[in-house]
Every structure is written in C-alpha cells, then in structure tokens.
Amino acid sequence: MDTVTHIREARRWSMLGLGVFAQAASAVFVHGVPFLLPALTDRGMPLATAGLLVAMPTLGLVGTLIAWGYVVDRIGERKVLIGGPLLMLIAGVAASTTTHDIALGALLFLGGIGAASTNGASGRVIVGWFPPRRRGLAMGIRQTAQPLGVAVGALTVPAVAAAYGVPAAILVPAVMAGVAAVGCLIGIIDPPRPAGAGTDAALRANPYRGDSTLWRIHAVSVLLVIPQGTVWTFALLWLHRDAGWSLAAAGILVTVTQILGAAGRIGAGAWSDRVGSRLGPLRTVAIAAVLSMAALALAAATHMWWAAIPLLVAASVITVSDNGLAFTAVAEIAGPYWSGRGLGIQNTGQNLAMAAVPPAFGALISASGFAAAYLAAAVLAVAAVPLVPTGRRTQ
C-alpha cells in the first residue's frame, strides 16, 4: 500500500475526532466501571471485593501502556486503534455474560489492556498529521477525552446498572469501543514517517540515551499530576465536610470545574502553538500550580470561603492544563519511532502517581486536615519547576 503523505484539512480534524472518541471510550471502560460500586454492593458483594473488581481495568491499563507504545512504534497507529477497542468490545461483551466474579475480574482486566492502546496511538496520530502551529491545540482537544469519558461514565453506567443490571452497564463502554474500532477502521490513516537511510537511522536512535530531556518531562508530569489528583479526589469531600455544602451542590461545582479544566487544556495547547514552545508554557503552568495550591492551602487553613471557592476553581483548571503540553512535547521530542513508548512511559508514571494520591493524601488529611494536603501538593509542584527543560522549540 502506498504511503499517504497529504490529506485534506477536514480529514485531519475527522481523525482528531475519532482519536478523541476512541480515547473517551477507553476512559469510560477504565473510569466508568468504578461507578458500578453501588450496584455491586447492593447485590451483597463486600465493598473490599467490589473495590478490587472495579480496579481491574486500571491495573490492566497501567501494566500495558509501555507495551502498547512499543507496538505502535512497530506496526503503526491505525492497527492499534482498531485492535485495542476490539479487545475492549470482546472483553466487555464476555464480561456481560459471565456469572463468576473471578472471570468478571479477569475480563475487566483484559478490557483495561485494550483501553491502554488508545493513549499513545491517538496522540501519535495527532502529532503525525497536525503541523506544529496547530499541534498544541489539537492535542489539547484530544486531552479532553478523559474528562468527557468520566462524565459519560458517571451519567450512564450507574443509571443503566440500576435499571437493567450490571451486565447491561458493562456493555456501555463495550459498545462505545466497538463503534470506535469501526470508525478507526474507516477513518484513520497512519501518518507518514520520514524516509531515507540516514534520516531513518537518526530517528530510530534511542532519544533517552545521553539526553535527560524526556526523563525530566516525565518527572515534571508525575509531580504535577499530584496536585491535580489531590483536587480531583478530595474537592467534593472538602466542600461537604469543611465548607458545609450539600453533596448535590458540591457535585455540581466539581462537574463545572471538570468542564473548565477541559477548556483549560485546549487553551494551553493553543497558547503553546502561538508562542512556538511547549516547555515555556509548561513551566508557567507549573509555577501557577504552585501559587494556586499554596493559596488554596492558606484559604482552607483560615476558612476564608469567599477566597477558597474561587481558588478551588482556579486550581482545578490550572493543575490539569499541563497534561496536553507535556504529552505533545514528549511526542515531538521522541520522534516518530519512539513516541509510542515515550507516551507509554509518560502515562504509566502519571497513572501510578495518581493511584497513590487517595491513600497517601487521605492519610495526611486524616492526620492534619485538608490545608496540609493542599500545601504538600504545592511543595511537590515547586520541585517540578526547575525540572522543566529549556531551549526546545516546536518541530
């Protein structure tokens, strides 16, 4: 098959849409399954068992992100964006038919493996087809897939489980994955890779060898995802317990911050396009994360609610705005033959750090309060600022 090197503008944006949908389907599978907890416990399953069960997609995802990145680098993006969602579809349909909890857990784990496929592949399609002047905006749009997927899961999975049972609810992400596989089969084209023996050899060289740039970006992202995870995880509880808000009102505010955070990712990407740099804006966002989390800690400690609520909204937006910047920088710097693995390492580190936030910061809140947790997150963000590499322009 001849390599396609030029496509129409409309085709480029349609592939972005397919990438967002495939990533959102993965997010529903991984982050929507935990919304089954009420239904599982209502039918008599112990909470600890149910918690382990709904964690299986996350375990499957985290354990295979780098492996999927290697596959993307070897066989291309289109095959992965078809095969991964197909695996989610098969695992989800099988999970909806089983009556054994162990089999259900294994199939959810398998679905999580399939979900991991879209992280690097969809990002690589965007970097491959969008020019540098549009790439940050496109990646910012792509990064909205996770909050969109969480929102879809929150709206559909509990309601379907309550009305039709757990098996029907598991089919929600499975069907979405099937639609994504068909869409990617029809609409995705592998982006071109540079030809020529000398160029090819240079691009295939390990970008991690003798250069700390990518490792520094990974470290920055791990440090900055902790403030993000702290706000995401504990904002609702803080508003309800300390500020005295009802759960309904707190839930509405948290939902609004998710929407604003998605807009923030798009805005940060467009900003990086305009200035021709991913890392300069990334450093600015890191500094803003320090300031917003430190201010939030002060407001929480002094119970200045007139300031605390606006600061919570600001911190919720700022602490997610680095994701697309770092993701785009990794893909650009790693190059077409290593970006899959680079994005896999990036996502693995972030997911592991995010998983550590609830137990670690939950213990800190129990011992010292919410203000201490926000301050600790600010301190970790401080460590990220000097780690941001310098001197890289978009390419």
Side-chain angles (χ1 to χ4, degrees):
M1 181 182 295
D2 294 335
T3 301
V4 177
T5 57
H6 300 285
I7 59 173
R8 292 177 300 172
E9 187 74 7
R11 186 64 181 272
R12 183 178 289 123
W13 288 98
S14 71
M15 284 196 282
L16 171 59
L18 287 170
V20 170
F21 186 83
Q23 184 64 34
S26 296
V28 176
F29 203 109
V30 173
H31 302 293
V33 168
F35 293 118
L36 290 173
L37 279 173
L40 291 171
T41 54
D42 285 347
R43 71 184 194 185
M45 182 179 291
L47 180 58
T49 302
L52 177 61
L53 196 64
V54 301
M56 296 309 290
T58 301
L59 294 176
L61 178 137
V62 172
T64 56
L65 282 166
I66 297 174
W68 274 114
Y70 179 81
V71 174
V72 171
D73 291 335
R74 291 298 297 264
I75 70 173
E77 297 78 8
R78 181 173 179 269
K79 292 177 181 177
V80 171
L81 284 172
I82 297 168
L86 275 178
L87 183 59
M88 278 192 284
L89 171 64
I90 294 168
V93 170
S96 71
T97 63
T98 187
T99 57
H100 300 285
D101 292 341
I102 294 177
L104 177 59
L107 290 166
L108 292 176
F109 180 84
L110 186 63
I113 292 175
S117 67
T118 62
N119 282 271
S122 61
R124 174 51 207 144
V125 165
I126 292 167
V127 171
W129 279 123
F130 278 83
R133 70 181 188 279
R134 291 282 191 85
R135 201 175 285 155
L137 171 62
M139 193 68 83
I141 294 172
R142 183 263 184 198
Q143 291 295 96
T144 66
Q146 184 184 33
L148 288 174
V150 173
V152 170
L155 289 172
T156 60
V157 171
V160 173
Y164 304 103
V166 170
I170 294 174
L171 286 175
V172 172
V175 170
M176 283 186 65
V179 173
V182 173
C184 291
L185 173 65
I186 297 170
I188 293 293
I189 302 173
D190 281 340
R193 301 190 182 193
T199 301
D200 187 70
L203 289 171
R204 287 183 184 275
N206 186 345
Y208 290 91
R209 188 171 297 158
D211 189 343
S212 64
T213 299
L214 288 172
W215 289 119
R216 289 175 66 175
I217 296 173
H218 297 327
V220 168
S221 295
V222 167
L223 289 168
L224 292 182
V225 85
I226 294 174
Q228 173 188 326
T230 303
V231 174
W232 274 17
T233 303
F234 298 108
L236 187 142
L237 182 63
W238 177 55
L239 290 169
H240 179 61
R241 181 184 294 177
D242 281 22
W245 287 34
S246 69
L247 286 174
I252 291 172
L253 180 62
V254 171
T255 301
V256 169
T257 64
Q258 290 287 314
I259 296 170
L260 293 174
R265 295 182 183 197
I266 297 173
W271 172 29
S272 74
D273 288 339
R274 188 166 59 251
V275 301
S277 171
R278 316 298 174 203
L279 300 180
L282 179 60
R283 183 178 297 103
T284 301
V285 170
I287 294 170
V290 173
L291 296 175
S292 63
M293 292 303 296
L296 185 61
L298 177 61
T302 57
H303 301 289
M304 294 188 298
W305 300 114
W306 59 270
I309 304 307
L311 284 169
L312 174 64
V313 174
S316 298
V317 175
I318 291 168
T319 57
V320 302
S321 297
D322 66 286
N323 288 352
L325 297 172
F327 207 80
T328 309
V330 167
E332 289 177 333
I333 295 168
Y337 295 105
W338 275 84
S339 58
R341 278 164 283 188
L343 295 175
I345 294 170
Q346 174 83 1
N347 278 303
T348 299
Q350 285 189 305
N351 277 281
L352 289 174
M354 187 72 84
V357 166
F361 279 74
L364 179 58
I365 289 169
S366 297
S368 305
F370 288 94
Y374 297 147
L375 183 59
V379 170
L380 290 170
V382 168
V385 175
L387 286 175
V388 180
T390 59
R392 289 273 186 169
R393 307 291 291 177
T394 58
Q395 51 186 307

